[in-house]
Every structure is written in C-alpha cells, then in structure tokens.
Amino acid sequence: MSDIEEDEFQDAQESLPQPTSMDLDTAIMEAKKAIHYFFNNDFEEARKIMEPWASSSMYHSLGTSIFAFLEAILTFEQKYIEKAAGAVKQCMTVCLKQRKHVTLTQNIGKMVKKTNYDAYTIDEVHAELCYAESLFLKSMLTFVEDETLVSFVKAGLKIRTCFLSYKECLTILNNRKWENDAYKVHFESGVRTGIGAFNLMISLLPAKIIKLLEFIGFSGDKEYGLSELEAGYQERRGLRHVLCAMFLLSYNLLVSFVLSHTDGDLDWCEKVLEEELSLYPNGVWFLFFKGRLELTRGKFENSLEWYTKSWKSQDLWPQFHHICFWELMWAHCSLQQWNQAAMFAGHLAEESHWSRTIYLYQRAAILMMQNPSVQSEEKQTIDTLMMQAPTFKQRIAGKSLPMEKFVIKKTERYFAQKKSLVLPIFELMYVWNLFRIVGKRQDLMLNMFKVIEEAEKKLVKTSKTEFHADNEALLSLLKGACLRQLKHPLSAENCLKRVLELDKLIKEDTYLLPYATVELALLAQDQGNIQLALGYLEDAKKNFTGYLLESRLQFRIHSDLMKLTGKKAEDILM
C-alpha cells in the first residue's frame, strides 16, 4: 500500500462512527474490574481496560492517570513524570467537560442562597469528585516535575484548590437527595478517602506550618481523618475501598514509624491484611505491607520471607523491587547480617534512581561493619563509595534533601578522620527510628549494645582528635537509646545527659544534642513522668535550631506533644 493509499485508509477509518461516550454504570464496573486486575499484579490487563476510553470517560481517564502517576513516583524518571502529567491533564479536561457549568450569575447567587445540588446530574456529581482526585495527582506531580521553588508554590496552590474541591464534594454528599444508593456509595467512598487523607496528612505537620495552612483555609484533625478512612474501608462496595486500605496501612506501618515515636494500630493492620491477602494472595502491595507488619513487630526473620515474596511476585515494575530491597537491607542490618545487607545496598546503588548519594553511603557504612580488620580490597571499595556518594546529590524544589546533606557531611568526616567513622550504620538506624523496632527483640538489642560498648572501649584507647567529643557524644546517644530499650533507665539517663555535657566541645554533630534531649523525654515518659517529658520536649523544640535532620525531629516532637497533652495539632502553643 502506498503512503497516499495508507493516509486515505486511515482517514476512512477515522470517518467511521466511533463510540464517544460511556455510561457511568459501565465505567464504574470497568473501574472495579481494573482495580481487581491491578491488585492481582496484572497491571497490563488493568491498563488495557482503562486506556481505550481515557479521552472520554472520567473513570477510565482517572484510572489511566493513577497508573501513570504510580509509575512516575516509582521510577522518578523524567519521561514517566511527563507521561503522568499528560495523563492527568487529559483527565482534568475530561472531568471539566462533564462537571456542572456554573455561570457568573449563579456564582453570585450562591453567596446569597444555597446551591440546589439536586439539580446536578449523577454524571456531574461524579465528575466533581474525579476532578478533585485528578487535582490531587497534579499537585503531587508538581513537586517532582522540576526543581524550582516556583514549582513548590504551584503545588501548594493546587493542593489548596484540591482541598476546596473535596470540601465541595462533601457538601454535595450531605445536601443532595440520593435516589440511587449505588451511586451514593461510590461517591461517598471517594469523599471519605479525600477528606480523610487530607485531615490525616495535615495533622502530622508541625504546629507552625498548621497555623499557616489554617490561615489559607486548610484544617487537619488526625482522629477525624482516621475515622473517615476507616469508614471508607468498611464500605466494601465503594470503588475506593481498597484505596482507603492503602492509606491506612501506609500511615500505620510507615508514616507513624518515621514521623513519631508511637506504633500504629498493628492489630487493625493484621486484620485488614488477612482480608486483602485472601483476595489478592500474590498482590505486590499487600505482600509488602505484610512484610512491613512483621518488621514493625520485631519479627525480622518473618519479614524477610514476605518482602522476598513481594519482590518476586512481579517483574513489570522492577522499581517496586527497590522498595523491597530497602526494607530487606534494614531487616538484615537489624539482625547484623552484614553480607546480606551489603548485597541489597549494592542493588539499590546500582539500580535505583531515588538517591544514589544515600545508597552509596549506606553500602559503605555496612561494609565497615563486616570485619574490624577489613581487607585492603574492601577498604578501597569503601573509599571509592565515600568519594562517589557526594557527586550524586540532588535538589528538589530548589533545596537539598536533608538526609543527603547528612550523609555528605559523614563522607567528609570519613576522610577527615583518616578514613574512619564510628558505627555509621547504627547511627543511620537510629535516625531512621529503627532502634524502637529492634527494641522489641531484647536479644538483638543486646547484640547492638555489645558492639557499641566495644566501640566505646576502642575510642577511649585512641588518641584524642578534633572530633573526639562528637564521637563520644554519638556513642553515648546510641548507648543511652539501647539502655532505654533494654529497660535500664538510670544507666540510660546517665549516657544521655553525658551527650548534653559535651555541648561546648562538639564540633559538627550538633544534631546529637536535640536528639538526646528528646530521648530523655521518652525515658521520662516511659517512667510515667509526663511533666518532665513535656519539659524536655519543649527544650528540644525551642532551644535548638539549624542542625542536621531538624525537620524529622520536629515532626516527632509535634507527635509526642499531641499525644502527651491530648490536644489537637492547632491547640499546641508555639
């Protein structure tokens, strides 16, 4: 066929009547089917259902956007970010066409009298919800589309628009007369997911940020957010039921362990995972969360099995393997299985695009733990990793990543201390909040304590250098944290107070002072002395600033203050 004939053939094909719309019932049914395929790891089948109608059906377009969004955040590669941005833009266009068109006169009238939401068609109602969801995806993508401060501001504005859109959906839910219960169930499922997620996320932020957000119309209530998401999960007929499960599992098993000193609801997670794994026995997401549940309970050997199942359950998204490798690395570190931990650290450094700076340093830190008298070849590998790590530093929203800044400082210290560091992997485990998980296994905690004691003896024997106080303070913090987990409060207190005594002598590692202060607060809390705990937390919050990893500690302080005072985030005094 000639080029002209081919063009004529294509024109003829395009002139044939093509289906241009899909009814809402079929769209929701197909979305349910795609969700089922997706959580059974059949990502391609899910995509095949969604993509053909992505330019005309709101739910198909939204599904296509979600798949593209997940691919973008898992790979962190520009081509996938651009692809996701295009899919989300198309989704917003589809939703805008089907939303209720409000004239200027109607907008003015809205200020005077209530909107009659019964006048909205069921398609217009669901278009409003899908538009809010696409706005959320767009705002999240804006954070990673480029690295300027402008993109950060744009994302903030989009999140505000998204939040207001969800509030409008909540008003529709509560003020509309619903003739069809099925349509209401799916709509309510989406509203609870969005409102719940927003309230939960905002409530986790430090008080200063919350005050600013409330000024521009945001609000956050943790308990309300959790209850909305749980209600969304309990309504199993709802299209977003499984999304509520994902939010809650992420909060209870990941967020609460990184940003607070309190466990999530692990019993609830166990029950949910039992239900979801019965439906999706090979689903990569739920296998991963099962591994995380075992890890958070200190059952590291069990977690290795579940993470490995998750990793090996699919190959279409190799980027998800990296999330499993990250967890497997820390599980092996907790068991002090350094060879296996170094292997997974190596996979991350070679294959993942998230942060090679962090991965390279972690691998070097693990290799340093393998043998006190490292062979010359291994020593050369460590030197090379320490030199390479800083060269891959990134800037997101115009700023360096806090953990990258931290590890770059440590690589500099490595060379300044004649190619040595004091227990660098234990230091990382502490700042990643892993001591509280390892503490659930007294045998493993005792093993860590013995290693710290040996390092302490070695430090005493070596001649003092300009960083001697920094190294002593680090060992005192690690030892004090271990002793708190081993239920030796007096010895723990002595170690932690020793860190504070070294205040004037510490040259670089000033972060040790506020972290030790918070550890003293946790120790007081363990013993039931709430007033003393609050005092230490306020000291850590107000007396220290400009140190490395400050933001993550501020998140944890905020969470502890909310827990101890029983107040909501906005009630905590500045």
Side-chain angles (χ1 to χ4, degrees):
M1 188 184 287
S2 69
D3 289 345
I4 295 173
E5 287 173 324
E6 189 171 340
D7 288 342
E8 287 175 349
F9 176 76
Q10 285 179 351
D11 289 342
Q13 286 291 99
E14 287 170 8
S15 67
L16 291 172
Q18 301 287 336
T20 56
S21 63
M22 174 173 283
D23 65 276
L24 188 61
D25 286 319
T26 307
I28 290 172
M29 182 188 71
E30 293 209 342
K32 273 189 168 183
K33 197 185 297 182
I35 287 169
H36 183 75
Y37 280 125
F38 181 80
F39 283 100
N40 262 325
N41 292 357
D42 199 342
F43 306 127
E44 278 306 308
E45 198 60 40
R47 203 192 302 268
K48 283 177 188 174
I49 293 173
M50 294 284 100
E51 283 186 350
W53 289 91
S55 61
S56 57
S57 164
M58 64 181 109
Y59 273 107
H60 289 74
S61 192
L62 182 63
T64 301
S65 299
I66 290 170
F67 297 153
F69 172 79
L70 288 170
E71 196 166 28
I73 61 169
L74 283 174
T75 60
F76 219 64
E77 291 180 26
Q78 194 59 35
K79 64 178 179 180
Y80 293 113
I81 292 169
E82 288 171 4
K83 179 185 172 185
V88 172
K89 186 178 179 181
Q90 177 178 259
C91 181
M92 291 172 73
T93 303
V94 171
C95 293
L96 279 167
K97 285 179 183 176
Q98 297 181 52
R99 285 173 76 204
K100 181 77 170 176
H101 294 288
V102 182
T103 64
L104 179 61
T105 309
Q106 287 171 318
N107 255 329
I108 295 168
K110 196 174 176 181
M111 299 176 191
V112 182
K113 62 178 183 177
K114 288 183 179 179
T115 305
N116 178 18
Y117 291 110
D118 292 332
Y120 283 45
T121 68
I122 199 63
D123 286 82
E124 288 169 343
V125 165
H126 277 266
E128 198 68 39
L129 176 59
C130 291
Y131 183 69
E133 290 168 327
S134 63
L135 273 174
F136 181 76
L137 296 176
K138 178 63 178 170
S139 61
M140 291 299 101
L141 275 174
T142 306
F143 280 115
V144 294
E145 275 181 308
D146 62 65
E147 300 174 359
T148 64
L149 192 58
V150 173
S151 74
F152 194 80
V153 174
K154 281 181 182 176
L157 293 172
K158 286 186 176 75
I159 288 173
R160 183 175 185 272
T161 307
C162 175
F163 183 64
L164 294 174
S165 193
Y166 269 117
K167 285 182 79 173
E168 177 76 359
C169 290
L170 182 61
T171 306
I172 293 172
L173 175 66
N174 293 331
N175 291 279
R176 178 185 169 83
K177 291 175 185 173
W178 295 87
E179 295 172 1
N180 185 313
D181 185 55
Y183 291 140
K184 182 186 178 184
V185 161
H186 295 305
F187 186 80
E188 185 171 354
S189 170
V191 173
R192 288 188 184 280
T193 305
I195 294 290
F198 263 108
N199 272 275
L200 183 57
M201 287 189 295
I202 294 169
S203 74
L204 296 171
L205 298 172
K208 283 184 182 178
I209 299 174
I210 288 176
K211 293 285 183 188
L212 176 63
L213 290 175
E214 286 180 337
F215 180 73
I216 58 172
F218 284 109
S219 62
D221 183 326
K222 178 182 167 183
E223 297 309 318
Y224 176 59
L226 287 171
S227 66
E228 285 296 286
L229 287 167
E230 285 178 17
Y233 176 74
Q234 291 305 325
E235 181 47 86
R236 299 188 70 86
R237 294 175 298 166
L239 194 57
R240 288 128 179 121
H241 141 86
V242 72
L243 194 56
C244 289
M246 295 290 286
F247 269 119
L248 286 166
L249 288 168
S250 298
Y251 169 74
N252 284 304
L253 297 176
L254 294 166
V255 176
S256 64
F257 278 89
V258 175
L259 299 184
S260 79
H261 295 106
T262 309
D263 284 6
D265 190 341
L266 303 187
D267 291 338
W268 184 89
C269 293
E270 182 173 30
K271 178 174 170 291
V272 168
L273 285 168
E274 193 177 320
E275 291 172 358
E276 297 305 323
L277 282 168
S278 68
L279 292 172
Y280 311 110
N282 297 310
V284 62
W285 304 93
F286 295 117
L287 288 171
F288 169 81
F289 280 123
K290 178 64 175 175
R292 183 69 193 179
L293 175 64
E294 294 299 304
L295 181 124
T296 55
R297 286 178 160 166
K299 298 177 181 178
F300 298 101
E301 296 86 351
N302 291 353
S303 76
L304 296 174
E305 293 178 25
W306 288 99
Y307 285 138
T308 303
K309 281 183 186 177
S310 177
W311 151 32
K312 295 188 174 179
S313 68
Q314 60 85 38
D315 287 315
L316 188 64
W317 281 0
Q319 298 80 15
F320 199 90
H321 297 174
H322 304 150
I323 300 173
C324 295
F325 293 166
W326 173 270
E327 295 288 311
L328 284 160
M329 179 187 72
W330 290 120
H332 282 298
C333 284
S334 301
L335 293 164
Q336 293 194 40
Q337 296 172 345
W338 305 120
N339 288 341
Q340 295 94 320
M343 179 186 71
F344 287 112
H347 284 314
L348 288 168
E350 290 163 17
E351 300 168 21
S352 178
H353 295 278
W354 273 96
S355 172
R356 291 201 71 199
T357 292
I358 293 172
Y359 297 146
L360 291 167
Y361 175 75
Q362 284 175 169
R363 186 174 173 226
I366 293 167
L367 289 175
M368 289 175 74
M369 298 296 292
Q370 283 184 309
N371 194 329
S373 55
V374 229
Q375 300 301 314
S376 58
E377 191 179 323
E378 291 171 327
K379 189 72 176 165
Q380 184 57 52
T381 301
I382 293 167
D383 292 350
T384 304
L385 292 167
M386 290 292 190
M387 282 189 285
Q388 287 179 339
T391 65
F392 293 99
K393 68 178 179 181
Q394 307 170 83
R395 293 182 73 80
I396 305 295
K399 293 186 177 182
S400 302
L401 299 177
M403 184 54 85
E404 285 196 349
K405 285 170 74 174
F406 180 81
V407 303
I408 288 169
K409 278 284 184 188
K410 291 297 168 180
T411 61
E412 292 168 0
R413 175 77 65 78
Y414 174 77
F415 292 106
Q417 290 185 161
K418 298 179 181 178
K419 299 183 180 179
S420 72
L421 285 173
V422 174
L423 300 183
I425 201 65
F426 282 7
E427 182 180 29
L428 285 177
M429 288 173 73
Y430 180 79
V431 297
W432 281 117
N433 222 358
L434 279 166
F435 271 45
R436 61 193 280 259
I437 298 177
V438 179
K440 295 177 181 183
R441 283 277 296 276
Q442 296 287 285
D443 58 329
L444 299 179
M445 198 84 255
L446 190 58
N447 290 342
M448 288 184 74
F449 179 74
K450 288 174 182 175
V451 175
I452 294 166
E453 275 201 317
E454 285 302 314
E456 202 172 38
K457 289 174 188 172
K458 186 179 175 184
L459 184 68
V460 171
K461 291 177 184 176
T462 55
S463 55
K464 290 192 176 183
T465 66
E466 59 180 325
F467 298 112
H468 185 87
D470 299 60
N471 293 330
E472 184 186 343
L474 172 59
L475 287 172
S476 293
L477 174 60
L478 296 178
K479 190 175 179 182
C482 270
L483 286 165
R484 184 173 80 82
Q485 297 295 339
L486 290 167
K487 308 293 188 290
H488 293 293
L490 291 177
S491 300
E493 186 178 4
N494 289 336
C495 291
L496 297 168
K497 285 187 173 177
R498 177 58 184 157
V499 179
L500 303 184
E501 288 169 8
L502 292 165
D503 182 0
K504 304 297 181 187
L505 299 172
I506 291 173
K507 186 175 180 182
E508 284 187 350
D509 292 337
T510 54
Y511 86 92
L512 297 169
L513 299 164
Y515 274 76
T517 306
V518 170
E519 199 69 34
L520 281 164
L522 297 171
L523 187 61
Q525 185 184 327
D526 293 343
Q527 297 171 289
N529 194 335
I530 304 304
Q531 287 308 310
L532 182 59
L534 288 170
Y536 277 127
L537 289 171
E538 289 296 340
D539 285 347
K541 182 180 174 183
K542 295 176 180 176
N543 296 344
F544 303 96
T545 186
Y547 54 91
L548 291 171
L549 304 180
E550 181 176 358
S551 59
R552 73 173 55 200
L553 189 61
Q554 288 294 338
F555 273 102
R556 293 172 192 171
I557 291 169
H558 168 70
S559 174
D560 291 336
L561 286 171
M562 281 204 297
K563 179 186 173 186
L564 293 178
T565 59
K567 294 179 180 178
K568 293 181 181 177
E570 62 269 22
D571 298 330
I572 293 176
L573 296 173
M574 306 303 294

